[in-house]
Amino acid sequence: QAKEAGKNRIHLYDTEFDVEVRVQRELVERIEHALSEREFLLFYQPKVDLRRGRVIGVEALIRWQDPDRGLLPPSAFLPQIQNHLVSQKIDQWVLSEAVAQLMLWHAIGLDLSISVNVSGLSLQTHDFMNTLAKLLAAHPEINRSRLEIEVLETVALDDIEHISGIISRRQAEGIRFALDDFGTGYASLRYLKHLPADVLKIDQSFVRDMLNDEEDRVIVEGVIGLSRAFKREVVAEGVETLEHYLCLMELGCDFAQGFGIARPMPASEFLPWLENWLPPTEWVRHESGYNA
Ligand code: C2E
Ligand code: MG
Ligand code: MG
Ligand code: MG
């Protein structure tokens, strides 16, 4: 009897597993096709220096312009393939696209940085690092410190010694690293000490509620304090309103990013946006010395 039930259960798992595998295989095929048809594109979300009231760079965020389903956000396809080889192909495409964009801005005299999100898997593979090395070798005119790699805090904590080693080897070549969604992975102080990342990106969930949730505000303040103590830079994500912006400025946060400043946009919209952008007037009034 028990054996019978066990058999059934195994059978059930098999079926679910089969379905999952089939769905993933179909998605992978569509992604391979999309890569060859150039259906992916990067949107760019500006990042602002809160002290100077200046745009210093962008984060590159992938989108899929699917002819059948329209413009898809990463949540529609990245989670399903995160452990699949094809996600590394995507990360390599993103990297080369971002470097090409840096070249274009460099060519017109714009000194901006680009951050790219890289999966934990890619970070640990030779293919990705080879692509990176080749791109940098092919474009010596690119200032390497203008390329930043974002790694999820949770990924970095997964195998901290290994990831720290990878990060510091690339840092030696001038590339910068950020810990993304910081605060969601519970990096203890001891870990942070051993993680050589240049930047902490405060997760947007804390920033969003910091104005009415005392605990979230304390977390935001805490991360800003940590970043100072450990001599890292700190970026707040999810800055949706002027109140967020001004509060983060008061708290001494270095940089901000969020819908309240700009939504992610295609490269073609970025330059016109940049030309028109001004820091909030409240900020200008606040900084009496703002003339420079
Ligand atoms: P992330 O790296 O933390 O990126 C920030 C996400 O928050 C982006 O969503 C952005 O559009 C959104 N966001 C920015 N400001 C605000 C705001 O003020 N309010 C709210 N509610 N949201 C805001 P997106 O583009 O859908 O990306 C989601 C995640 O997908 C990213 O989170 C990142 O982990 C991943 N991702 C995006 N592009 C890539 C990529 O090229 N490669 C890899 N491996 N992952 C990527
Ligand atoms: Mg990111
Ligand atoms: Mg994030
Ligand atoms: Mg996120």
Side-chain angles (χ1 to χ4, degrees), residues 47-60:
K47 190 161 57 179
V48 167
D49 180 328
L50 286 172
R51 261 175 231 103
R52 294 160 179 270
R54 227 177 258 164
V55 177
I56 53 128
V58 297
E59 175 173 7

Side-chain angles (χ1 to χ4, degrees), residues 93-216:
W93 177 82
V94 169
L95 186 66
S96 53
E97 190 72 8
V99 168
Q101 187 60 65
L102 270 182
M103 300 271 298
L104 286 175
W105 286 335
H106 177 84
I108 57 170
L110 271 181
D111 186 22
L112 294 165
S113 68
I114 292 190
S115 306
V116 294
N117 296 280
V118 173
S119 71
L121 204 60
S122 289
L123 193 70
Q124 301 179 58
T125 58
H126 292 295
D127 277 356
F128 181 82
M129 287 307 168
N130 284 342
T131 303
L132 179 59
K134 273 190 206 143
L135 282 168
L136 294 177
H139 305 294
E141 67 275 35
I142 283 194
N143 182 343
R144 288 158 190 223
S145 71
R146 297 298 181 265
L147 188 60
E148 191 171 280
I149 293 182
E150 297 193 4
V151 184
L152 289 173
E153 182 200 21
T154 45
V155 166
L157 292 180
D158 213 33
D159 187 351
I160 193 158
E161 271 180 42
H162 185 210
I163 302 280
S164 296
I166 292 169
I167 292 180
S168 39
R169 276 196 293 283
R170 298 307 125 177
Q171 279 174 327
E173 296 165 357
I175 307 219
R176 289 159 49 86
F177 280 83
L179 292 178
D180 205 353
D181 297 1
F182 193 84
T184 60
Y186 314 106
S188 75
L189 299 185
R190 188 163 56 88
Y191 282 144
L192 190 54
K193 184 178 155 188
H194 294 291
L195 263 175
D198 306 276
V199 182
L200 310 181
K201 291 195 84 172
I202 311 174
D203 189 62
Q204 50 182 286
S205 60
F206 306 117
V207 176
R208 193 192 316 124
D209 298 330
M210 66 184 281
L211 298 170
N212 32 38
D213 184 323
E214 182 63 25
E215 285 169 357
D216 282 337

